[in-house]
Amino acid sequence: MNAYLVIRDGTKWSDVFRLIPGRTVTIGRANTNQIVIKEEQASRQHCEIFQNDGRWVIRDLQSRNGTAIGDDRLMGDKVLAPGDTIHIAKTQLEFVHDLSTAYSNKKKISGPETMAGLEIAEDDPTLTELVAEPTTITHRRGKTRFLADTDYGDEAATTTGLAAKLCRLGYELANQTTIRSIARRALEGLFEGANCDAGAVLILPRGRRTNAEPDDLEIVAWKSVDKPNYQRVSTFLANQAMRDGEAILARDIQDDSALGIRDSKGEIQATSVICAPIRHNNRTIGLVHLYSTRSDGFLDPEDLEYTLAVAENVALAMRTRLREQKLVEDLDKTRNEIDQLREQLGEESEIIGSSPAMLHVHQQIARAAPSNATVLIRGESGVGKELVARAVHFASSRRNGAFVCLNCAALSETLLESELFGHERGAFTGATDRKLGKFEAADKGTLMLDEIGEMSPSIQAKFLRVLEGHPFERVGGSKAISVDVRVIAATNRDLEQAVREKTFRKDLYFRLHVVQVDVPPLRKRPEDIPELADFFLQKFNLTTGRRVEGFSKSAMGQLKTYRWPGNVRELKNVIERAVVLARTETIEIDELMLSNLATASESQMDMGQPVYQPISLAEMERHHILATLKATGWNKSRTAKILGIERSTLDRKIRRYEIKRDPALDQ
């Protein structure tokens, strides 16, 4: 059963859209929709209509202002019934099976109406009393006599009759959804308009359309009226049509076996033959083959013209279907690539750790993400400040926008200004082209500035103006540029001390210090070390092709007790090196290459807070011996060698200081 959407914008007709089974219709403001509604209240992708179990269903696509059916707001999927009126902003779309019933129960007005692509005669009796539009729609392509099953009588043999059949056939071919259905409908139309009793449509496979031979042709549809089987086109005829790209008519055949019209006994089977090429991009991709076996009926030049016209329509319909198929394949491929990239991005952006300290970080992220406030992330180098910034971005309403990251410490003052705000051509030596800055690249998204404390005072002043919402200019330019960017700043410096030393602007500090997220160093969350180590182990197993299963007890003990001055970044590098150098399926303690660098807190730079506590030499010696024993996995011989004392001396000091091994290391 035919189904239509009769579209009305306000009080005027707009259009009629036919719903085709198997095709989903999207409605919205974007030009990529099948039905475009140019109203600001309509979303870019507002709703869609599709067929399910033979019934047409409408679904709202999370539009901003919603979709209504009659007076009821659409919630979930709804099966459409004839007469249902869809309301999107000021546009109405009535779902009908019979066009004459559209808006038939609405308030009537008088006077002629003009519809897009539809002209109505002034003396039409249906215009004496109208519904906002005419109650009977005439001269639409669905109602025209050229597209209806009309008995033309003797006129069928005339040019006008064939043109009418061809017009209707071309419309129906355009609505077919597969190559085979196009071929079958084309044959039906050919048998209606040409004097033939057998024929076929032959197409080259998609992968064999370069330097193809007639034997490569595949029969996608065939039909025979009187004979039980269709006789394939001869190589001679196929070669002629494919090589020259011209249609061929052979009549009054007496003895030409090259035409492939003899049976096995040598008796003539066909009295006339037509072979017409199906052309795509100046190449022949298929053939239409017709023949007549009746002695009282011949294919004539009029049939040849009609067949060639049908072949052109077949080529057009196939080209459209192939283009749609390629678009679908490309869309699927793109979606797969997007899913893979999102999965990879999710892996790269995942924050590993379930300790109370990291749970607190997750809570801070959850509170900071929904707003557009500036976020200041503080923590030592290597703790994962960029991962926290990514988590804030992807948990915010800007997740579909760009996430742009810039390290302020990696560039000179001139280059940093150019990277942030862009530059015009000729602004400085080497500026050969215009360049957009990070602020413009992050418009509608998030800009993360790492090592914000390294920014020079002059850049700080310009940066502060942009944070306050003022427009900026590219280096060497005069055009004011405004952007919508959320800024996330990160630093491992003591900004308060920098403000006191007048190396960092106080007003910029207060503008950045709106929401603060503190990322703890790895040594303050040692319970996350096994989880992080296992995560990096599995990751580098994949990238290196190794099959390292885990860590020995002593190796894991050393990972837990090590101070990690380089934090998570150092742990990642240590695990990668250990996976590459591992001799067995288990990483041993001697395969962990750890440094003897002091941590930031041990260097009295733990966020600017001094941590030195006066202790006696004996207590210091006790701590040092215990730390060395833990580092060697309580290997006393190695510990004594590192300390530069005898083994017996070490044993005495252990007893003197009552140093005992931590049982947790043996678990």
Side-chain angles (χ1 to χ4, degrees):
M1 183 178 296
N2 292 333
Y4 305 89
L5 290 176
V6 182
I7 307 169
R8 186 170 63 183
D9 184 7
T11 60
K12 295 183 179 180
W13 282 104
S14 176
D15 204 352
V16 171
F17 190 90
R18 182 181 178 186
L19 300 175
I20 300 174
R23 296 187 185 179
T24 298
V25 177
T26 59
I27 305 172
R29 196 175 73 252
N31 293 329
T32 54
N33 294 287
Q34 283 81 6
I35 298 178
V36 179
I37 298 178
K38 294 295 185 182
E39 294 188 53
E40 286 298 323
Q41 293 84 357
S43 298
R44 292 182 60 81
Q45 300 288 335
H46 200 98
C47 64
E48 64 179 7
I49 297 176
F50 57 95
Q51 197 175 46
N52 184 20
D53 292 335
R55 299 180 298 177
W56 289 98
V57 179
I58 183 170
R59 174 185 296 163
D60 187 83
L61 298 178
Q62 298 181 346
S63 60
R64 183 178 60 220
N65 295 314
T67 305
I69 306 297
D71 296 329
D72 299 324
R73 185 181 178 92
L74 178 62
M75 304 296 291
D77 295 350
K78 184 183 186 305
V79 177
L80 290 171
D84 281 347
T85 302
I86 304 166
H87 295 271
I88 300 175
K90 296 180 181 179
T91 301
Q92 301 176 26
L93 304 91
E94 181 159 351
F95 175 80
V96 296
H97 291 312
D98 183 356
L99 289 174
S100 64
T101 64
Y103 298 101
S104 58
N105 60 342
K106 305 297 188 297
K107 181 180 178 181
K108 297 183 178 182
I109 61 174
S110 60
E113 295 285 343
T114 300
M115 191 173 173
L118 168 63
E119 295 182 357
I120 304 174
E122 290 290 344
D123 58 351
D124 191 326
T126 63
L127 298 180
T128 57
E129 191 176 29
L130 295 175
V131 295
E133 288 81 21
T135 56
T136 301
I137 301 176
T138 59
H139 293 85
R140 284 295 293 173
R141 59 184 181 181
K143 290 291 185 179
T144 175
R145 63 186 182 86
F146 289 156
L147 300 180
D149 292 327
T150 306
D151 184 9
Y152 293 97
D154 295 338
E155 190 187 37
T158 66
T159 301
T160 303
L162 290 176
K165 289 181 180 294
L166 184 62
C167 178
R168 177 163 56 90
L169 179 60
Y171 173 75
E172 293 176 352
L173 289 177
N175 290 326
Q176 303 304 313
T177 57
T178 65
I179 299 297
R180 292 188 181 275
S181 63
I182 291 173
R184 286 194 295 267
R185 185 63 193 93
L187 276 181
E188 293 173 2
L190 286 166
F191 274 67
E192 293 173 2
N195 190 22
C196 62
D197 50 22
V201 176
L202 303 91
I203 301 295
L204 290 169
R206 288 185 66 181
R208 304 180 67 180
R209 292 182 181 172
T210 302
N211 300 324
E213 299 294 334
D215 291 340
D216 296 330
L217 291 168
E218 176 186 350
I219 300 175
V220 293
W222 67 273
K223 185 175 182 179
S224 178
V225 177
D226 298 326
K227 302 297 179 180
N229 293 314
Y230 157 77
Q231 181 175 321
R232 186 182 175 93
V233 63
S234 69
T235 303
F236 173 78
L237 278 179
N239 264 326
Q240 289 289 109
M242 292 179 67
R243 184 188 65 222
D244 300 333
E246 298 291 340
I248 300 170
L249 168 63
R251 293 182 57 195
D252 300 327
I253 304 165
Q254 298 298 324
D255 187 18
D256 194 347
S257 59
L259 296 180
I261 54 177
R262 289 180 176 272
D263 60 16
S264 59
K265 298 180 180 179
E267 297 176 353
I268 298 294
Q269 287 189 308
T271 57
S272 53
V273 179
I274 286 178
C275 190
I278 299 173
R279 291 171 289 201
H280 173 62
N281 292 338
N282 298 321
R283 293 187 299 110
T284 300
I285 64 169
L287 299 173
V288 174
H289 178 220
L290 303 175
Y291 59 84
S292 174
T293 60
R294 299 191 300 271
S295 58
D296 58 343
F298 296 90
L299 292 165
D300 56 26
E302 194 75 14
D303 294 327
L304 178 65
E305 293 292 334
Y306 181 71
T307 303
L308 186 57
V310 171
E312 291 296 325
N313 279 274
V314 169
L316 180 61
M318 287 185 175
R319 181 163 62 246
T320 303
R321 295 291 81 75
L322 291 173
R323 189 174 299 165
E324 286 183 357
Q325 184 177 351
K326 187 176 186 305
L327 287 173
V328 170
E329 292 173 354
D330 291 345
L331 181 60
D332 289 340
K333 182 179 179 182
T334 302
R335 283 175 175 170
N336 290 335
E337 291 175 351
I338 291 174
D339 290 340
Q340 292 174 5
L341 289 173
R342 283 178 174 171
E343 183 177 350
Q344 294 173 7
L345 182 59
E347 292 176 355
E348 293 296 327
S349 301
E350 186 177 6
I351 300 176
I352 305 298
S354 55
S355 64
M358 289 310 298
L359 291 178
H360 180 63
V361 171
H362 285 292
Q363 292 171 358
Q364 290 178 299
I365 292 172
R367 289 194 295 266
S371 71
N372 285 322
T374 304
V375 178
L376 179 61
I377 302 174
R378 309 185 75 165
E380 296 177 7
S381 178
V383 294
K385 296 188 289 294
E386 183 176 342
L387 289 182
V388 173
R390 286 183 181 274
V392 172
H393 169 74
F394 287 109
S396 71
S397 59
R398 297 173 177 266
R399 66 179 66 89
N400 294 325
F403 177 81
V404 181
C405 186
L406 178 64
N407 190 333
C408 299
L411 300 170
S412 64
E413 180 178 339
T414 303
L415 289 178
L416 179 58
E417 183 178 10
S418 172
E419 285 293 321
L420 280 174
F421 308 111
H423 63 250
E424 298 289 349
R425 180 179 180 181
F428 50 83
T429 303
T432 57
D433 295 294
R434 170 188 287 180
K435 178 181 178 180
L436 300 183
K438 299 300 184 185
F439 268 105
E440 290 180 82
D443 191 25
K444 309 299 182 184
T446 304
L447 173 62
M448 179 200 175
L449 297 177
D450 200 4
E451 307 296 348
I452 190 71
E454 306 298 328
M455 188 179 288
S456 67
S458 61
I459 302 296
Q460 290 178 30
K462 191 171 183 179
F463 176 56
L464 177 61
R465 280 188 55 82
V466 180
L467 280 182
E468 295 290 351
H470 297 286
F472 62 91
E473 299 172 355
R474 300 189 188 100
V475 178
S478 57
K479 179 182 177 181
I481 301 170
S482 297
V483 293
D484 177 17
V485 174
R486 182 183 192 176
V487 173
I488 298 178
T491 184
N492 62 355
R493 291 187 57 186
D494 181 6
L495 291 184
E496 292 82 359
Q497 182 64 28
V499 170
R500 288 192 291 269
E501 295 174 354
K502 301 188 182 303
T503 59
F504 198 82
R505 294 178 64 101
K506 181 186 295 186
D507 48 3
L508 178 57
Y509 168 77
F510 288 119
R511 185 63 183 83
L512 292 174
H513 199 254
V514 179
V515 178
Q516 179 170 309
V517 178
D518 295 308
V519 186
L522 187 56
R523 64 182 175 278
K524 291 189 178 181
R525 51 186 183 106
E527 54 268 48
D528 290 334
I529 291 175
E531 188 177 353
L532 283 164
D534 184 67
F535 173 80
F536 290 131
L537 176 66
Q538 301 304 324
K539 176 178 180 179
F540 294 123
N541 271 338
L542 291 175
T543 57
T544 62
R546 302 296 301 275
R547 294 185 178 180
V548 181
E549 295 182 355
F551 304 85
S552 66
K553 292 181 179 179
S554 59
M556 181 55 69
Q558 187 166 15
L559 290 177
K560 290 180 179 179
T561 57
Y562 181 62
R563 298 289 289 168
W564 298 110
N567 291 295
V568 180
R569 183 185 293 120
E570 182 185 6
L571 174 61
K572 175 182 176 182
N573 295 335
V574 167
I575 301 302
E576 181 177 15
R577 186 186 305 113
V579 169
V580 172
L581 301 179
R583 298 183 296 271
T584 64
E585 295 180 351
T586 302
I587 294 177
E588 300 295 340
I589 189 170
D590 59 344
E591 292 168 340
L592 299 176
M593 301 178 63
L594 304 176
S595 71
N596 57 0
L597 297 175
T599 64
S601 62
E602 292 167 341
S603 301
Q604 300 192 21
M605 293 181 64
D606 188 12
M607 304 303 294
Q609 301 298 323
V611 297
Y612 172 73
Q613 296 293 335
I615 58 175
S616 65
L617 289 175
E619 185 66 19
M620 181 176 290
E621 184 180 38
R622 181 185 183 281
H623 282 303
H624 184 60
I625 292 174
L626 178 58
T628 308
L629 283 168
K630 289 180 179 180
T632 61
W634 278 78
N635 187 320
K636 294 182 179 179
S637 298
R638 287 188 59 199
T639 300
K641 186 177 180 180
I642 293 173
L643 294 175
I645 59 178
E646 296 293 334
R647 168 68 182 269
S648 58
T649 304
L650 176 62
D651 289 333
R652 287 197 303 271
K653 290 181 180 292
I654 290 175
R655 290 192 297 270
R656 180 194 307 168
Y657 295 132
E658 297 181 351
I659 299 175
K660 296 181 180 180
R661 186 169 187 175
D662 188 354
L665 299 181
D666 299 324
Q667 295 178 355

